[in-house]
Amino acid sequence: MSTPFPFTAVVGQDDLRLALLLNAVSPAVGGVLVRGEKGTAKSTAVRALSALMPEVDVVPGCRFSCDPHSPDPGCPDGPHEPGAGVARPARMVELPVGASEDRLVGALDIERALAEGVKAFEPGLLADAHRGILYVDEVNLLHDHLVDLLLDAAAMGASYVEREGVSVRHASRFLLVGTMNPEEGELRPQLLDRFGLTVEVSASREPDQRVEVVRRRLAHDDDPAGFAARWADEEAAVRARITAARELLPSVRLGDGALRQIAATCAAFEVDGMRADIVMARTATALAAWAGRTDVLAEDVRQAALLALPHRRRRNPFDAPGLDEDKLDETLEEFGGQDGDGGGDDDPDPGPDGPGGPGGQPEPDDAPPGDGDAAARPEAGEGGEPRPSGAGEQSPVRAAEPFRTKVLSVPGLGEGVAGRRSRARTEHGRTTGARRPRGALTKLHLAATVQAAAPHQRARGRSGRGLVVRRDDLRQATREGREGNLVLFVVDASGSMAARQRMGAVKGAVLSLLLDAYQRRDKVGLVTFRGAAAEVALPPTSSVDAAAARLESLPTGGRTPLAAGLLRAHEVLRVERLRDPARRALVVVVTDGRATGGPEPVALAGRAARLFAAEGVASVVVDCESGPVRLGLAGRLADELGGTAVTLDELRADAIAGLVRDVQGTRRAA
């Protein structure tokens, strides 16, 4: 077994280490979500924490790690008599992104349950993690229904497995840690709120600190055991401090003054619900215990707010999480009481261990992913697009206010990842039929199973009331739900679209569609064309935030190479099909339909559009043509694509034309 990197040897990242230690002191805080760019010691710190966790006493032979002094009365391996147990290290269990529901919560043997009435249960990862750490790397890429199950278990302290009326319950209390790179997509706000604390991490820009990171990493890789031995005293000190803080925690007093500051802070930042108040109270109490105090001070409340509120404050989906510290200080000062000093400026004693003094300040949010200087570099095309002749480039235009759009869906029945856009065969949804299971049975169709077994009861020697069921009789329920799609935006940024008011409306429409894609759990990509070529402004990604950032900085001007934009989009789809063949695409072309530049630009654009029609790619053209004289070029382009056209006004969900428009995947009849 490899020697993990010592927790106390992690350079910097004070807020990350503090959040992890507070959860080790008080798992009731609710876990921590670590957000940050790749290569910032997120996984290293989490894995290192397991070595600091105190040992746990367990009932010998219990698969659910019951406490021998207070065994779970409903344990599937019980009942257990209270008594002596065996000590073992606290486990750290990792949940893979591609895990199934049965792997997470466990599985019942349905055949034995139906035929014998026996609850044969195989525990899952939630049972393994009981009284330990459950770590989910890239939690934002985990299927939503798995995240729901995970957070429900974390909130209730128990896991429930139900299959056709047969249920098993077992205790499941663990320290939940999730890490994610926001560039790869965000968690839903409802799921963000379920994590107790959140921390933003980024790589240091200080050369000396970066040198020390590399030095320690190389030293550990060359001699893991020797490196760990050099940090053994620091590790032991932190481990002892965690144990002492746990013992002190029940004695910590949360006075009315501190409670009033907590409530006032949550109200000032307009967080929804009461979970934030409860998490802040538990975090402030843990901070006091970690500092060796029995009273919660104002600086504890301040630090708790910095860890518990940034991901809960009311914001638009594309806003970066954060907290106005000046406003926080004003609120704490205004509502400071006798139980706190109201300031929070003095740094309390961080203790001898360094990591986790309550005075740590979060680092500033990183800039949105992508090219922050896109506006300063007029020609951002791949390969260096030449400056367009005959028309100057205009500075980026701000998007108009977004609005609720119609639902644009891909026709037919897909089999992609779960989402909220197009119809698909999924693991969750309404039952539409039954089939023989391929592999392990996950969703039993009881009526079909009984129907398959009934004709064979006499031949199988049935004599009692029970039904004789064989494995060949089992039927898997087929379900229909919704899938997420790849929504590829192809945006005309040429001079014909460059009128500031008009481009603002176009960007507002695209931003509205991006909001819709965010809510429906789609992947998105962005292709733009102007001047002499097209560029992939954003390859297909789950980060809708990144697409919105690129859209905001999109410059305009030059000719209209419509064919180049369509051909580049076709190539993006071809590559993405190889990477993710199950995910169906929806192409949204935002243009007035004009094509200029090069020989026969209109004919060339028509031939490029027909490639999409030949492959049955679902498409929609958002017609941006304005003015009293309309040429109808966008409608013709939609015909060539085999899709449909909508105007900017028709795109709104409250338009008279209706609430839902299915995008045709084949050429419309003339």
Side-chain angles (χ1 to χ4, degrees), residues 37-48:
E37 59 197 24
K38 51 189 177 292
T40 49
K42 300 189 298 292
S43 299
T44 298
V46 175
R47 293 188 174 100

Side-chain angles (χ1 to χ4, degrees), residues 577-590:
R577 232 177 262 126
L578 298 175
R579 294 174 178 167
D580 193 356
R583 190 184 290 267
R584 297 187 296 165
L586 171 63
V587 177
V588 179
V589 185
V590 184

Side-chain angles (χ1 to χ4, degrees), residues 490-499 502 506 529 560 562 589-596 621-626 629-637 646 648:
V490 185
V491 179
D492 185 348
S494 65
S496 66
M497 302 278 288
R502 184 179 180 193
V506 169
F529 57 94
T560 312
L562 177 58
V589 185
V590 184
T591 181
D592 56 9
R594 289 182 171 85
T596 60
V621 177
V622 179
D623 184 359
C624 302
E625 191 173 28
S626 61
V629 179
R630 296 176 181 263
L631 303 178
L633 298 176
R636 296 180 200 172
L637 177 62
V646 294
L648 290 175

Side-chain angles (χ1 to χ4, degrees), residues 409-441:
S409 60
V410 179
L413 197 61
E415 294 184 346
V417 297
R420 298 183 177 182
R421 184 170 296 279
S422 305
R423 294 175 54 221
R425 298 183 185 90
T426 61
E427 287 294 318
H428 298 270
R430 65 185 182 89
T431 301
T432 58
R435 60 172 174 80
R436 292 181 182 274
R438 306 185 190 105
L441 178 72

Side-chain angles (χ1 to χ4, degrees), residues 74-373:
C75 176
D77 284 355
H80 305 299
E81 293 295 330
V86 295
R88 64 160 175 78
R91 292 174 180 158
M92 193 195 77
V93 177
E94 294 194 40
L95 174 62
V97 170
S100 65
E101 181 178 336
D102 285 347
R103 183 73 185 97
L104 177 62
V105 300
L108 284 170
D109 189 330
I110 299 297
E111 184 179 1
R112 292 188 64 191
L114 288 176
E116 305 173 29
V118 176
K119 294 182 180 179
F121 180 67
E122 184 65 30
L125 295 177
L126 290 179
D128 294 340
H130 181 43
R131 304 175 68 199
I133 301 172
L134 183 59
Y135 171 46
V136 189
D137 194 14
E138 306 294 354
V139 65
N140 52 323
L141 303 182
L142 198 65
H143 289 308
D144 284 349
H145 75 280
L146 292 183
V147 179
D148 287 331
L149 291 170
L150 183 65
L151 295 178
D152 283 343
M156 296 186 296
S159 175
Y160 294 85
V161 184
E162 306 229 4
R163 295 288 188 275
E164 301 296 336
V166 181
S167 63
V168 172
R169 173 214 165 272
H170 64 82
S172 183
R173 293 183 295 276
F174 47 82
L175 193 168
L176 175 63
V177 182
T179 59
M180 61 174 282
N181 184 347
E183 292 181 6
E184 296 173 338
E186 286 284 358
L187 278 172
R188 300 200 318 263
Q190 298 93 327
L191 302 182
L192 277 173
D193 183 58
R194 299 291 290 273
F195 281 94
L197 310 179
T198 187
V199 177
E200 294 281 333
V201 297
S202 61
S204 172
R205 300 298 183 258
E206 293 294 329
D208 291 343
Q209 194 171 72
R210 295 176 75 97
V211 166
E212 187 61 23
V213 170
V214 175
R215 182 181 289 122
R216 293 187 187 183
R217 183 77 254 181
L218 294 178
H220 175 266
D221 292 346
D222 290 341
D223 183 12
F227 185 81
R230 291 196 293 274
W231 290 88
D233 291 343
E234 288 83 351
E235 294 281 287
V238 174
R239 190 181 300 110
R241 189 175 174 188
I242 291 174
T243 302
R246 283 187 172 188
E247 294 173 353
L248 183 62
L249 188 65
S251 303
V252 175
R253 186 178 72 92
L254 182 65
D256 289 342
L259 270 174
R260 185 172 178 81
Q261 286 183 316
I262 289 170
T265 301
C266 292
F269 286 97
E270 299 181 333
V271 296
D272 296 327
M274 295 297 299
R275 184 175 283 118
D277 304 63
I278 296 170
V279 170
M280 273 190 66
R282 289 172 173 167
T283 304
T285 304
L287 279 162
W290 176 247
R293 290 184 272 100
T294 56
D295 285 313
V296 174
L297 304 181
E299 56 260 30
D300 299 325
V301 176
R302 185 181 193 278
Q303 185 64 59
L306 292 173
L307 293 172
L309 295 188
H311 60 303
R312 290 188 169 92
R313 69 178 180 83
R314 187 171 295 164
R315 62 188 182 95
N316 292 322
F318 300 144
D319 291 341
L323 212 62
D324 184 339
E325 295 191 36
D326 291 336
K327 180 178 179 180
L328 173 61
D329 290 335
E330 291 173 3
T331 303
L332 292 176
E333 184 175 355
E334 179 182 355
F335 290 90
Q338 60 182 3
D339 295 292
D341 59 17
D345 294 328
D346 296 332
D347 187 20
D349 179 15
D353 307 307
Q361 298 297 324
E363 298 183 23
D365 294 333
D366 291 342
D371 301 327
D373 59 346

